[in-house]
Amino acid sequence: MRRLSSLLLATLFLTAAYLFAWPSANIAYFVGVVLHLVAGILFLATLAFAARSILRGATLSARAGWILVAVGGLLGALLIYTGTRRGDLPLLYVHIGACLTGGTLLVSAWAAKRGLLAGGSGKEALRNFAFLIVVAFIASGAWWVRTVPWQRAYRIENPPMAPASMDGEGDGPGGHFFPSSAQTSSGDTVPEDYFMDSVVCQRCHADIYQQWQSSMHHFSSFNNQWYRKSIEYMQEVDGVQASKWCAGCHDAALFFPGNFNTPIKDRISTAPAQAGMGCMVCHSIRKVKSTMGQGDFVLEYPAMHKLVASNNPIVRHTIDFLIEENPEPHRRTFLKPFMRAQTSEFCSACHKVHLDVPVNNYRWIRGFNDYDNWQASGVSGMGARSFYYPPKPQDCADCHMTRVASHDAGNVGGYVHSHRFLAANTAVPFANQDATQLSQTQIFLADGELRVDIFAISSEENIPAGQRSAGTEPLQPEIQTTFAVGEEAETQAQTTVAPAMQAPPVTAPLNRVQAAVRAGDTVRVDVVVRSLKMGHFFPGGTVDAFDCWLELKATDDSGHAIFWSGMVEDNGHGPVEPGAHFYRSLLVDAHGNAINKRNAWAARATVYAHLIPPGAADTAHFRLQVPRDVSGHIHLAAKLNYRKFAWWNTQFSFAGVSEAAGAGNVSKDYDDRRVAFTGDLAQVSASAHAIPDVPIVVVAQDAVDLEVLPAGSAAPIPKTAFDKNEWQRWNDYGIGLLLQGNLKAADAAFAKITEMDPSNPDGWVNVGRVRLQEGNLTAAKEVLERAIALNPHLARAKYFYARALRNEGRYEDAISNLREVIAQYPRDRVVRDDLGRIFFLQRRYSDAVAEFEASLTVDPEDLEANYNLMLCYTGMNQPERAADFQKRYLRFKADESSQTLTGPYRRSHPGDNLERQPIHEHDSAVATTGRQKATAKKYVTNTSVLKESD
């Protein structure tokens, strides 16, 4: 019996070592699990019969060893019953610890019998201690083998250089999945049924499965009418092959099995077309190749999938039992380290896109991009130059996968990360009549993500013309993009107001002073919208497809509207009036038609991209004409409204019918056809066969009252107030003015902070930003030195101070400051690029190359880095390397001539032309009520001849 017990014990330790050190989802491993369990049961049975004979005559160490092994065995038997979910891990660790310690003492006793440090309690203690140390080292080594290679193997790292063309992405033109960058680990297709088995996950993850059922991941495919229409239209105009660009991140059940090679219209109702992005898609990604997006991942088909998904009850229960006993192989198959350690980089695979010739028949263009502006911001903890920073860095999951109570397998402390993926899509749950998802999305949107502040008024007669509506062309991004560019590029605020032009006096903040206007006067109302908890631009995602706007309404004491900008036609159910202050990207095709059918491939020019960066603000201006017959008070109400999707796009997606193609009225580059909203609604992908009246969500709002003075009275005197606890309101006001290029007004707002709270370094830093933008280096350095004196290690102050030093030619001093910034924020590529540029100017080419290459590890598509590497290698007489980076630079650089395409559109759309101007004022739509009614009537009755750009 003793020999059998020893043999079984050896088997247990050997299998345990294998199971602990090399967890993997294969047959051999699970044979090891079964062998370990069987050996453990037999060992306990043997020990029960032979315990007396085994312990008789044993040394104290041996007895302790056998007792500890027995206790560990009993705990193991209990674990066979409970499994080893997270809640059972403490029991598992005690089981391992007891068995390891007991086994070590038994080995020590065995060694003593062979003369190793035998005799006496002192030697016994020394021997036991020595063996315990050896076993501890072996256990540590096993932990290293189990953990470190696994974590190192699954990290998201960018390649040193971006592809020179889309042909170098994914499998290339000859692959199954091109032009998507998605690949499979085998290089082949994946069986269709793999993506149809999300219900299998419900057996252990019921709460997560139910959350996913309502999520936009589930409704990413042809069960979503908006997406369905966009792909049907794309395949009609741009071709089936080009539509694979979308399918890699939307239609896994069709795409990866190789069933996306023919038009989708005949397979809309099939199960794969309705599957969306199920559990197996995200959780089967074994590698994310870069943060360049575009579905840049490798999907792996697990070897044991057919067993796990088997309908045979014996097989199914056996697999479930083995997973319960040892979940680690299952966890390693479906939860790679980067999914937790690099969540945002993982999400970038599909939440950042670009287009190129195989898709748009034109060139490289940045599409939507929710990753780069997060990465470069203070929210990520990686940006050195942000206006604001949260208490601790946040990633995508902190907002969009918050913890919710659950007893699902894998819960941590009774919580799981929600798989509703709450964001901003109210349209799909509304069309699906999913009240829970809709309600939670609306709550999410209005949960303090942004703030609206009716902050200031100023007399129109005191505002110089240049600060009312600057007619200069806005600065265009250097990179070709349909999206806004934030802190991921060097700050280039538009200077639209001459530095000599003084800021007008304002009355502010309106709810802290007794504000008054005079009947018959015209005043400007300034409303500030601040991004508070957003980790990316507001709005995010496909920003050409939403209605997102700031509404300001003024009423008198009788409730009569005397001003209304941002009204919605058809009593709140139609389009937004065209003169509203929008937050969106407005694009046009090669013939100047608006991109409003989700036809991003036809985008050729950006009319404007008006978004709010994370941790920043926008200051909107409204021209309020106070009627002469008004008395008492004017009541101002501002709302930040959000409607997904835009009214026109919803009509098109559900009932849009384009006129027949012919006579050159449609191509991959443009679509001049008229659209009627008369399509058949019987087969739409929605619960109701009707065009949905998508709800408008009020994201944030504010209200203030203004006293009205008689027309003949003295003009109100501007007044201001400052509360240290509300310093951010002045700061937000200044940020909005700075970003639109109103530098003198921004300077005045930031200066208010320095005057009233000189101990606040942010006021000094932001005044320095303004003066640096003006080119006033001496004044910029003066205030930045004040900020640094208050906080010697404030990175943003050091960065802008270095900019001033660089512009003065004091390169070494600038380098010193930039190195300090990089020590705190090593992944801020703008700081890296600035440092590299100084090295280049000093002809320290090797040092410059090191900095620019460091930038490319953050984003291989960084335009500045690629450009400067071209110059550096030219200076180093390495023409081939220089040519490589020249190709990338020319690939990503903006097509400056494309802006000519916006001219005809802007002339026929004065509201959009106004919105394009960096500084502009919005008039009231109420003053032209008759025109607005006529417009609303056009949309209702004349859709049969409605052009898509109307």
Side-chain angles (χ1 to χ4, degrees):
M1 275 296 185
R2 181 186 294 269
R3 182 171 295 178
L4 178 60
S5 297
S6 299
L7 179 62
L8 289 171
L9 193 59
T11 302
L12 285 168
F13 276 104
L14 287 173
T15 54
Y18 168 59
L19 297 178
F20 181 82
W22 292 283
S24 52
N26 55 48
I27 297 296
Y29 187 85
F30 284 108
V31 168
V33 173
V34 172
L35 184 59
H36 187 76
L37 299 180
V38 172
I41 294 169
L42 291 175
F43 172 76
L44 286 175
T46 303
L47 195 60
F49 284 104
R52 183 173 297 178
S53 63
I54 290 173
L55 295 176
R56 187 185 304 120
T59 64
L60 183 61
S61 295
R63 287 181 180 180
W66 283 112
I67 291 171
L68 284 171
V69 169
V71 170
L74 290 171
L75 292 175
L78 181 60
L79 288 168
I80 293 176
Y81 172 74
T82 64
T84 56
R85 296 186 180 188
R86 286 187 181 276
D88 303 306
L89 288 181
L91 191 63
L92 174 64
Y93 296 147
V94 174
H95 161 72
I96 294 172
C99 291
L100 272 178
T101 306
T104 302
L105 293 176
L106 289 175
V107 172
S108 176
W110 175 84
K113 288 183 178 181
R114 281 148 183 81
L116 181 63
L117 291 174
S121 59
K123 289 184 177 181
E124 183 179 20
L126 180 60
R127 184 184 64 250
N128 289 340
F129 179 74
F131 273 98
L132 286 170
I133 292 296
V134 171
V135 169
F137 272 109
I138 293 172
S140 299
W143 176 88
W144 191 94
V145 170
R146 172 189 176 92
T147 306
V148 176
W150 162 252
Q151 292 177 340
R152 288 178 177 174
Y154 294 98
R155 282 198 55 79
I156 299 172
E157 297 178 348
N158 281 310
M161 184 183 294
S165 72
M166 188 172 260
D167 288 353
E169 298 172 3
D171 287 331
H176 292 288
F177 310 118
F178 188 78
S180 171
S181 293
Q183 296 173 280
T184 61
S185 57
S186 67
D188 207 345
T189 58
V190 176
E192 181 181 281
D193 60 355
Y194 178 61
F195 303 101
M196 308 302 297
D197 289 334
S198 291
V199 70
V200 172
C201 305
Q202 187 179 18
R203 301 206 301 258
C204 296
H205 305 285
D207 291 342
I208 287 175
Y209 177 78
Q210 290 302 319
Q211 295 157 8
W212 168 83
Q213 281 277 62
S214 294
S215 75
M216 293 310 101
H217 280 202
H218 182 199
F219 291 96
S220 67
S221 192
F222 298 100
N223 48 4
N224 173 341
Q225 180 60 30
W226 285 269
Y227 176 76
R228 169 185 167 178
K229 181 69 173 184
S230 69
I231 297 301
E232 290 175 334
Y233 174 72
M234 183 178 190
Q235 291 187 344
E236 172 201 350
V237 176
D238 200 28
V240 173
Q241 181 70 20
S243 69
K244 289 184 178 182
W245 173 72
C246 305
C249 286
H250 282 267
D251 311 295
L254 292 166
F255 177 71
F256 287 107
N259 296 328
F260 217 84
N261 298 312
T262 57
I264 192 63
K265 59 184 179 181
D266 297 327
R267 288 172 287 142
I268 292 292
S269 299
T270 62
Q274 300 289 309
M277 299 298 275
C279 308
M280 303 303 179
V281 183
C282 294
H283 286 283
S284 293
I285 293 176
R286 71 180 301 271
K287 181 179 179 63
V288 176
K289 296 173 286 180
S290 74
T291 59
M292 290 184 282
Q294 200 62 35
D296 201 15
F297 59 80
V298 178
L299 186 140
E300 183 176 51
Y301 178 60
M304 295 186 64
H305 170 255
K306 289 193 178 295
L307 282 175
V308 175
S310 172
N311 291 321
N312 184 303
I314 296 175
V315 174
R316 186 169 67 244
H317 287 302
T318 300
I319 291 294
D320 287 351
F321 171 76
L322 291 173
I323 291 174
E324 289 279 1
E325 291 307 301
N326 190 341
E328 189 63 20
H330 178 75
R331 186 181 297 122
R332 292 194 172 205
T333 300
F334 294 113
L335 193 65
K336 299 294 189 288
F338 55 69
M339 296 179 184
R340 288 186 169 177
Q342 296 176 283
T343 305
S344 297
E345 287 76 10
F346 177 48
C347 296
S348 76
C350 283
H351 291 269
K352 175 182 176 181
V353 302
H354 60 266
L355 303 86
D356 211 330
V357 176
V359 179
N360 64 7
N361 199 39
Y362 174 41
R363 56 156 297 155
W364 187 93
I365 296 180
R366 164 69 63 225
F368 84 90
N369 180 0
D370 286 335
Y371 174 76
D372 283 345
N373 50 95
W374 166 84
Q375 189 279 326
S377 75
V379 179
S380 71
M382 292 184 251
R385 298 154 293 109
S386 291
F387 293 106
Y388 295 108
Y389 290 79
K392 63 177 183 178
Q394 295 178 304
D395 60 26
C396 303
D398 289 323
C399 293
H400 298 291
M401 296 184 71
T402 55
R403 298 200 321 149
V404 294
S406 172
H407 295 293
D408 277 3
N411 76 80
V412 179
Y415 290 88
V416 298
H417 286 281
S418 172
H419 282 59
R420 287 186 180 276
F421 305 107
L422 292 175
N425 196 320
T426 54
V428 171
F430 182 81
N432 291 342
Q433 299 179 357
D434 186 339
T436 301
Q437 182 77 6
L438 176 61
S439 173
Q440 292 202 23
T441 304
Q442 291 172 321
I443 291 170
F444 175 84
L445 278 169
D447 187 29
E449 301 294 324
L450 294 102
R451 177 172 65 210
V452 170
D453 186 0
I454 307 175
F455 184 75
I457 58 171
S458 49
S459 174
E460 188 80 357
E461 64 185 21
N462 293 331
I463 302 173
Q467 292 188 11
R468 296 179 189 173
S469 181
T472 57
E473 282 292 288
L475 280 175
Q476 299 300 320
E478 293 184 0
I479 195 168
Q480 185 75 6
T481 181
T482 65
F483 208 68
V485 175
E487 290 172 301
E488 65 271 26
E490 186 170 323
T491 303
Q492 290 189 5
Q494 173 78 50
T495 306
T496 54
V497 179
M501 189 177 292
Q502 296 303 307
V506 298
T507 295
L510 292 184
N511 64 341
R512 293 289 181 262
V513 297
Q514 190 173 356
V517 295
R518 187 171 57 182
D521 284 359
T522 298
V523 296
R524 185 172 76 181
V525 180
D526 293 336
V527 182
V528 179
V529 180
R530 157 80 187 281
S531 174
L532 292 171
K533 298 193 295 184
M534 298 280 290
H536 48 71
F537 278 115
F538 174 79
T542 52
V543 292
D544 58 305
F546 318 145
D547 281 334
C548 184
W549 73 103
L550 182 62
E551 174 186 356
L552 181 67
K553 187 175 184 180
T555 56
D556 59 20
D557 285 336
S558 65
H560 175 70
I562 61 172
F563 179 96
W564 197 353
S565 173
M567 62 181 289
V568 179
E569 299 170 8
D570 195 17
N571 295 318
H573 302 285
V576 184
E577 59 99 354
H581 188 69
F582 287 101
Y583 296 102
R584 64 176 179 180
S585 177
L586 178 60
L587 317 171
V588 292
D589 67 19
H591 280 190
N593 303 302
I595 299 296
N596 53 15
K597 309 181 194 68
R598 297 300 304 119
N599 51 327
W601 72 86
R604 296 295 180 268
T606 302
V607 179
Y608 64 82
H610 189 197
L611 311 175
I612 304 176
D618 174 58
T619 300
H621 310 293
F622 299 89
R623 186 186 292 116
L624 170 62
Q625 295 178 329
V626 184
R628 295 187 67 83
D629 58 353
V630 169
S631 61
H633 291 84
I634 291 176
H635 310 279
L636 295 176
K639 297 178 182 178
L640 180 62
N641 298 315
Y642 188 94
R643 177 167 59 184
K644 183 166 184 173
F645 289 88
W647 180 89
W648 199 98
N649 184 259
T650 295
Q651 310 302 306
F652 174 76
S653 297
F654 279 75
V657 179
S658 301
E659 67 181 353
N665 61 358
V666 61
S667 77
K668 292 183 178 183
D669 304 315
Y670 60 85
D671 190 347
D672 295 335
R673 295 176 297 174
R674 297 179 181 274
V675 175
F677 302 147
T678 56
D680 182 9
L681 296 170
Q683 301 299 321
V684 295
S685 298
S687 295
H689 301 302
I691 301 176
D693 183 13
V694 178
I696 295 171
V697 179
V698 179
V699 177
Q701 57 188 319
D702 190 28
V704 297
D705 294 338
L706 305 176
E707 182 184 358
V708 180
L709 304 178
S713 62
I717 299 174
K719 7 176 155 170
T720 60
F722 187 88
D723 182 340
K724 282 187 178 182
N725 295 323
E726 293 187 339
W727 70 272
Q728 289 187 5
R729 296 181 67 188
W730 281 100
N731 203 44
D732 296 343
Y733 182 52
I735 291 168
L737 296 169
L738 170 63
L739 294 182
Q740 63 191 215
N742 196 340
L743 300 184
K744 282 299 179 184
D747 188 290
F750 295 138
K752 181 67 71 173
I753 303 171
T754 65
E755 294 164 9
M756 304 305 294
D757 186 9
S759 64
N760 185 338
D762 282 289
W764 300 108
V765 171
N766 290 335
V767 171
R769 290 187 188 217
V770 173
R771 294 178 181 176
L772 189 62
Q773 191 68 38
E774 289 177 335
N776 189 345
L777 301 182
T778 301
K781 285 197 306 175
E782 178 185 342
V783 292
L784 289 168
E785 285 167 357
R786 294 285 298 269
I788 293 170
L790 291 168
N791 187 342
H793 302 293
L794 188 62
R796 51 190 179 275
K798 290 278 187 176
Y799 170 75
F800 290 109
Y801 191 60
R803 289 277 304 278
L805 294 171
R806 183 190 73 178
N807 290 344
E808 286 185 335
R810 294 171 57 185
Y811 292 157
E812 290 302 326
D813 291 336
I815 289 170
S816 175
N817 281 272
L818 290 176
R819 287 197 188 280
E820 187 172 342
V821 176
I822 289 173
Q824 297 179 56
Y825 297 94
R827 291 182 63 79
D828 189 316
R829 54 189 167 98
V830 171
V831 181
R832 293 275 188 186
D833 288 344
D834 276 8
L835 180 56
R837 186 64 182 172
I838 294 174
F839 286 144
F840 172 78
L841 294 173
Q842 294 181 316
R843 299 188 179 183
R844 295 165 58 181
Y845 297 130
S846 296
D847 291 334
V849 166
E851 295 303 326
F852 294 128
E853 288 182 343
S855 290
L856 295 186
T857 66
V858 180
D859 180 20
E861 296 166 326
D862 184 288
L863 187 73
E864 185 78 11
N866 279 285
Y867 172 73
N868 281 288
L869 283 166
M870 174 187 72
L871 298 182
C872 286
Y873 281 113
T874 300
M876 296 166 72
N877 197 26
Q878 297 184 34
E880 291 184 0
R881 289 287 286 167
D884 286 339
F885 287 105
Q886 181 184 34
K887 291 176 184 175
R888 275 76 183 170
Y889 169 67
L890 294 176
R891 184 186 183 201
F892 306 136
K893 186 181 183 297
D895 177 5
E896 297 164 355
S897 65
S898 66
Q899 282 300 304
T900 60
L901 297 172
T902 68
Y905 178 88
R906 289 157 51 201
R907 284 192 291 272
S908 60
H909 296 79
D912 291 328
N913 185 53
L914 178 73
E915 194 69 18
R916 175 184 167 94
Q917 310 309 313
I919 302 175
H920 58 273
E921 293 179 349
H922 293 273
D923 290 319
S924 174
V926 173
T928 54
T929 304
R931 179 179 64 81
Q932 292 299 327
K933 286 183 178 178
T935 304
K937 183 177 180 181
K938 177 183 74 170
Y939 278 102
V940 173
T941 64
N942 201 30
T943 55
S944 61
V945 293
L946 181 62
K947 189 178 176 182
E948 72 276 4
S949 58
D950 285 351

